[in-house]
Amino acid sequence: MHPMVKPALRRGWRDLSTVQFGMTPAHAMTLGPMDTATGSFLELLNGTRGLELLREEGRRMDLPDGHVDGLVRGLARAGLLDDARGGGPAADALRKKKDVLDRLRPDLASLSLTTSEPGDALRVMAARRSLRVQVRGAGRVGAVVAALLSGAGVGEVDVRDGGCVEPWDVAPGGLPAEAVGDRRDEAARRAVRRAAPDRPPRRGPGTAPEDGDQGYSLVVLAPRDDVAVHAPAASAAETLMASGTPHLYAGVVEGTGMVGPLVLPGETGCAGCLHESRTDRDPTWPRLVAQWRSGRQRQVRPCDLALATTVAGLAAAHALAFLDGRVPSSASARWEVSAPGLHWHARPVWGHPACPCGAGEKGMGEHTSEDGDPHETMAVQRPSERLRRKADAERLAGTWRAHV
């Protein structure tokens, strides 16, 4: 192990004996009282020395026997320590690709804030390279989502869509202006390759994976049709539900951006549950949806660039959280933001007993609504990782204390 205090956390001294790691409430932690020698020793925890060399340095600084090991163990338990050589064989292979790793360093630093064990950040980043994701829809939202996932290190990102690129599909980070007139799916795949830090092998036309929904860690449904965004058809995800493939909805409809739900088949509410719940609240809902779907409108649908990019960014963030092993707040919920107020809020998507998906019997997470109405804004309550870190930090040594 080559211990390293996480460089992503800025360090500052609150007084002569108390050091604060991090600036923001989500990740900040203070430790103290800390003597001058231990404070100076922290500078040596930069990943360039192994434990044996650190012990020698500690003896030169007259630190008590066992103090270095106790400090390293305590910082590791508090989630403040990384391992410059940890993460396993896949992480070692990634370290050898310096150009790729340099592209991913900001993402890696961010991961270090949400992982606790030394070496976990690079292990998670290396694991992304083995994942396969499919994005269905290559408009202003879908193409950007695909490029973001590729740029964040996901190994294979496929895009599925039909038709040719129209001028209004063009978006920074997504389909470029020179792609107008090209096949939409091929243009999106080129954008994915351009964004990738380590470019995957190029596929020829018509050689996209033909394995149905098998093998994908996640499918992102980002339809260009605004009705499909607002009222996703359960039939569009039938094969995903049958294969147990997790899928995330995202898109823009009439000045409202939507991210979620993230559907874990049989565990969280799906498109069918969403439809049944809406029908319970509004019996005319099926009639309205049928009219919206049957109407053929040729005009360009509202999807302003800034809102579409915002939705794509949040959708990619939720997708990455899931791919990295977390359960984001879009599980059992749909996040919405509308112009011009731009206030994000979450609406629950409960499992419905009339839906054959089975989520209505299981449920997932703890949900609280403001007034008991399931249509109202809700928050997903999840255990706080920071509470665990606080308890671990308090065990650092003696009278050290931690504040989150």
Side-chain angles (χ1 to χ4, degrees):
M1 181 178 179
H2 282 59
M4 173 175 61
V5 176
K6 290 182 177 179
L9 295 170
R10 288 188 178 271
R11 194 186 317 169
W13 289 87
R14 301 181 68 87
D15 53 46
L16 293 178
S17 62
T18 308
V19 62
Q20 177 173 320
F21 298 89
M23 297 184 291
T24 63
H27 302 290
M29 181 178 293
T30 63
L31 298 176
M34 184 179 295
D35 59 83
T36 303
T38 302
S40 299
F41 185 81
L42 288 177
E43 301 297 331
L44 303 180
L45 297 177
N46 56 16
T48 62
R49 301 169 178 84
L51 279 173
E52 188 56 43
L53 185 55
L54 286 171
R55 293 185 188 109
E56 293 179 11
E57 296 286 356
R59 286 191 287 270
R60 292 193 189 98
M61 299 171 67
D62 295 325
L63 293 176
D65 290 343
H67 187 75
V68 169
D69 289 81
L71 177 66
V72 168
R73 284 195 302 270
L75 289 171
R77 285 196 302 266
L80 295 173
L81 205 66
D82 210 342
D83 182 1
R85 298 190 181 180
D92 291 337
L94 181 54
R95 285 190 187 93
K96 295 177 181 178
K97 296 178 175 287
K98 184 180 183 303
D99 292 344
V100 176
L101 191 56
D102 284 346
R103 281 276 304 273
L104 294 170
R105 285 196 187 280
D107 305 83
L108 183 61
S110 182
L111 273 175
S112 75
L113 300 176
T114 58
T115 53
S116 56
E117 295 298 321
D120 266 2
L122 194 57
R123 178 188 58 79
V124 171
M125 179 59 72
R128 286 183 183 179
R129 293 161 57 81
S130 65
L131 300 178
R132 300 177 65 226
V133 175
Q134 184 182 78
V135 178
R136 297 185 181 179
R140 282 187 160 188
V141 173
V144 176
V145 169
L148 288 171
L149 294 177
S150 179
V154 176
E156 181 180 335
V157 181
D158 181 49
V159 186
R160 184 186 298 181
D161 205 341
C164 296
V165 178
E166 302 286 357
W168 46 86
D169 293 324
V170 172
L175 301 178
E178 56 267 25
V180 173
D182 295 345
R183 280 184 48 178
R184 193 177 274 112
D185 55 356
E186 283 300 315
R189 290 175 190 143
R190 289 197 299 269
V192 165
R193 289 194 293 270
R194 285 194 301 269
D198 189 13
R199 294 191 177 184
R202 180 176 179 180
R203 297 181 180 274
T207 60
E210 296 294 341
D211 53 358
D213 302 317
Q214 300 296 325
Y216 288 112
S217 303
L218 178 70
V219 171
V220 179
L221 297 153
R224 290 177 289 110
D225 174 43
D226 53 359
V227 177
V229 172
H230 187 54
S235 58
E238 279 182 353
T239 57
L240 297 173
M241 296 297 292
S243 63
T245 303
H247 47 287
L248 173 68
Y249 292 89
V252 174
V253 50
E254 295 181 352
T256 296
M258 298 182 176
V259 176
L262 168 65
V263 180
L264 308 179
E267 299 291 335
T268 65
C270 67
C273 297
L274 180 64
H275 177 80
E276 294 291 347
S277 296
R278 282 174 162 171
T279 303
D280 286 347
R281 295 193 302 271
D282 180 4
T284 65
W285 174 256
R287 184 187 310 156
L288 289 171
V289 172
Q291 294 175 67
W292 293 334
R293 288 175 179 165
S294 63
R296 294 184 176 274
Q297 300 188 29
R298 295 182 178 275
Q299 61 262 41
V300 178
R301 308 313 303 159
C303 182
D304 72 271
L305 192 58
L307 183 58
T309 305
T310 300
V311 168
L314 186 63
H318 280 245
L320 289 169
F322 172 75
L323 294 171
D324 292 340
R326 309 282 183 175
V327 181
S329 59
S330 54
S332 294
R334 168 178 271 191
W335 284 95
E336 299 179 3
V337 60
S338 298
L342 302 177
H343 300 296
W344 283 102
H345 59 274
R347 298 192 184 280
V349 182
W350 309 118
H352 196 282
C355 182
C357 74
E361 299 177 0
K362 294 184 179 180
M364 188 174 184
E366 298 176 9
H367 308 287
T368 60
S369 66
E370 293 179 345
D371 60 2
D373 182 350
H375 186 64
E376 294 300 320
T377 301
M378 70 107 186
V380 180
Q381 308 294 325
R382 303 203 181 278
S384 172
E385 179 72 7
R386 301 304 300 166
L387 293 178
R388 185 192 65 77
R389 291 189 185 182
K390 178 178 179 180
D392 288 338
E394 289 174 339
R395 293 194 294 269
L396 273 172
T399 58
W400 283 33
R401 64 182 181 273
H403 303 284
V404 180

